[in-house]
Amino acid sequence: MTATTSTFRTGHIGLNVTDLDRSLGFYRDLLGFEVLSEGKEEDRRFALLGRAGQLSLTLWQQAEGAFAPDRAGLHHLAFAVDTIEEVKAYESELRAYGVEFAYEGIVAHREGAASGGIFFHDPDGIRLEISAPLGAEAAPAPVAAAPTCGFF
Protein backbone atom coordinates (compact mmCIF):
# COMPACT_ATOMS: atom_id res chain seq x y z
CA MET A 1 0.00 0.00 0.00
CA THR A 2 1.25 3.46 -0.84
CA ALA A 3 -0.10 6.34 1.18
CA THR A 4 -0.08 9.70 -0.57
CA THR A 5 -0.79 13.04 0.98
CA SER A 6 0.05 16.58 0.06
CA THR A 7 1.96 16.99 3.34
CA PHE A 8 4.58 14.26 2.77
CA ARG A 9 8.02 15.93 2.80
CA THR A 10 11.43 15.63 4.40
CA GLY A 11 11.13 16.37 8.11
CA HIS A 12 14.77 16.77 9.11
CA ILE A 13 18.15 15.22 8.36
CA GLY A 14 20.22 13.43 11.00
CA LEU A 15 24.01 13.31 10.58
CA ASN A 16 26.51 11.30 12.61
CA VAL A 17 29.56 13.40 13.50
CA THR A 18 32.83 12.68 15.27
CA ASP A 19 33.11 15.95 17.24
CA LEU A 20 29.88 17.76 18.08
CA ASP A 21 31.55 21.02 19.12
CA ARG A 22 33.50 21.25 15.85
CA SER A 23 30.42 20.40 13.76
CA LEU A 24 28.26 22.85 15.71
CA GLY A 25 30.72 25.61 14.92
CA PHE A 26 30.58 24.74 11.24
CA TYR A 27 26.80 24.44 10.84
CA ARG A 28 25.94 27.28 13.21
CA ASP A 29 28.64 29.83 12.42
CA LEU A 30 29.17 29.20 8.70
CA LEU A 31 25.79 27.97 7.49
CA GLY A 32 23.62 30.01 9.85
CA PHE A 33 21.71 27.31 11.71
CA GLU A 34 20.46 28.11 15.20
CA VAL A 35 20.76 25.60 18.03
CA LEU A 36 17.22 24.62 19.05
CA SER A 37 18.24 22.05 21.67
CA GLU A 38 21.30 20.14 22.87
CA GLY A 39 21.96 16.91 24.67
CA LYS A 40 25.12 17.30 26.72
CA GLU A 41 25.48 13.96 28.51
CA GLU A 42 28.96 12.65 27.68
CA ASP A 43 27.73 9.46 26.01
CA ARG A 44 24.63 11.04 24.40
CA ARG A 45 25.70 14.32 22.79
CA PHE A 46 23.50 15.77 20.08
CA ALA A 47 22.24 19.10 18.75
CA LEU A 48 18.97 19.96 17.05
CA LEU A 49 19.50 22.74 14.50
CA GLY A 50 17.08 24.83 12.50
CA ARG A 51 16.01 28.22 11.28
CA ALA A 52 13.17 30.35 12.62
CA GLY A 53 12.50 27.64 15.22
CA GLN A 54 11.90 24.94 12.59
CA LEU A 55 14.00 21.76 12.98
CA SER A 56 16.12 21.02 9.90
CA LEU A 57 19.18 19.09 11.00
CA THR A 58 20.23 16.91 13.92
CA LEU A 59 23.89 16.24 14.69
CA TRP A 60 24.64 13.05 16.62
CA GLN A 61 28.11 12.61 18.12
CA GLN A 62 28.43 8.89 17.56
CA ALA A 63 30.68 8.42 14.55
CA GLU A 64 34.18 7.06 15.00
CA GLY A 65 35.53 7.96 11.58
CA ALA A 66 35.04 10.32 8.66
CA PHE A 67 32.28 10.11 6.06
CA ALA A 68 32.78 7.20 3.65
CA PRO A 69 31.42 8.00 0.17
CA ASP A 70 31.89 4.40 -0.97
CA ARG A 71 29.28 3.02 1.46
CA ALA A 72 25.53 2.88 1.08
CA GLY A 73 23.73 5.77 2.76
CA LEU A 74 23.84 9.52 2.44
CA HIS A 75 25.33 10.75 -0.84
CA HIS A 76 25.20 14.48 -0.12
CA LEU A 77 23.07 17.05 1.61
CA ALA A 78 21.84 19.95 -0.53
CA PHE A 79 20.74 23.34 0.74
CA ALA A 80 18.83 25.76 -1.51
CA VAL A 81 18.97 29.54 -1.55
CA ASP A 82 17.08 31.99 -3.74
CA THR A 83 19.90 33.70 -5.62
CA ILE A 84 23.33 33.00 -7.04
CA GLU A 85 24.58 36.02 -5.06
CA GLU A 86 23.73 34.15 -1.85
CA VAL A 87 25.70 31.15 -3.13
CA LYS A 88 28.67 33.44 -3.81
CA ALA A 89 28.44 34.89 -0.28
CA TYR A 90 28.50 31.41 1.26
CA GLU A 91 31.41 30.46 -0.98
CA SER A 92 33.44 33.45 0.24
CA GLU A 93 32.80 32.65 3.91
CA LEU A 94 33.54 28.95 3.46
CA ARG A 95 36.79 29.66 1.59
CA ALA A 96 37.91 32.09 4.30
CA TYR A 97 37.29 29.32 6.84
CA GLY A 98 39.44 26.89 4.81
CA VAL A 99 36.67 24.48 3.77
CA GLU A 100 37.55 21.80 1.18
CA PHE A 101 35.64 22.24 -2.10
CA ALA A 102 34.84 19.51 -4.63
CA TYR A 103 34.96 21.95 -7.60
CA GLU A 104 36.50 25.35 -8.14
CA GLY A 105 33.81 28.01 -7.84
CA ILE A 106 30.17 27.86 -8.81
CA VAL A 107 29.28 25.10 -11.24
CA ALA A 108 26.11 24.35 -13.20
CA HIS A 109 24.04 21.31 -12.23
CA ARG A 110 24.49 20.00 -15.76
CA GLU A 111 25.69 21.36 -19.07
CA GLY A 112 23.64 24.42 -20.07
CA ALA A 113 21.61 24.51 -16.84
CA ALA A 114 20.57 27.76 -15.19
CA SER A 115 20.72 26.17 -11.74
CA GLY A 116 23.97 25.51 -9.96
CA GLY A 117 26.01 26.10 -6.89
CA ILE A 118 28.97 25.11 -4.77
CA PHE A 119 29.95 21.65 -3.56
CA PHE A 120 32.09 21.20 -0.46
CA HIS A 121 32.71 19.06 2.63
CA ASP A 122 31.92 19.53 6.31
CA PRO A 123 34.51 18.78 9.03
CA ASP A 124 33.76 15.04 8.86
CA GLY A 125 33.94 14.93 5.05
CA ILE A 126 30.15 14.87 4.53
CA ARG A 127 29.42 16.19 1.06
CA LEU A 128 27.33 19.35 0.98
CA GLU A 129 25.83 21.59 -1.69
CA ILE A 130 24.41 25.12 -1.69
CA SER A 131 22.62 26.00 -4.90
CA ALA A 132 20.26 28.50 -6.52
CA PRO A 133 17.69 27.86 -9.27
CA LEU A 134 19.03 30.58 -11.60
CA GLY A 135 22.25 32.40 -12.37
CA ALA A 136 24.65 29.57 -13.24
CA GLU A 137 24.07 29.67 -17.01
CA ALA A 138 27.66 30.67 -17.73
CA ALA A 139 29.20 28.33 -15.13
CA PRO A 140 30.96 25.15 -16.23
CA ALA A 141 29.51 21.69 -15.72
CA PRO A 142 32.35 19.48 -14.43
CA VAL A 143 30.75 16.26 -15.74
CA ALA A 144 29.11 16.68 -19.14
CA ALA A 145 27.15 13.41 -19.21
CA ALA A 146 25.83 13.33 -15.63
CA PRO A 147 24.45 15.66 -12.97
CA THR A 148 27.23 17.63 -11.31
CA CYS A 149 26.00 16.65 -7.85
CA GLY A 150 26.29 12.95 -8.67
CA PHE A 151 29.99 12.12 -8.82
CA PHE A 152 32.02 14.37 -6.58
Side-chain angles (χ1 to χ4, degrees), residues 38-108:
E38 268 187 90
K40 296 184 179 187
E41 294 177 42
E42 189 54 40
D43 61 339
R44 293 188 174 277
R45 294 199 61 209
F46 67 89
L48 305 177
L49 307 177
R51 290 180 183 241
Q54 182 68 40
L55 177 63
S56 301
L57 186 64
T58 304
L59 303 176
W60 304 97
Q61 184 175 296
Q62 58 188 12
E64 292 184 16
F67 177 76
D70 62 339
R71 294 192 184 148
L74 179 74
H75 181 273
H76 75 285
L77 178 55
F79 300 106
V81 295
D82 293 330
T83 68
I84 208 72
E85 288 73 25
E86 290 173 278
V87 175
K88 290 175 183 176
Y90 277 108
E91 179 186 15
S92 292
E93 284 190 43
L94 292 164
R95 285 202 186 281
Y97 191 79
V99 169
E100 176 189 342
F101 281 76
Y103 305 116
E104 186 59 39
I106 292 172
V107 294

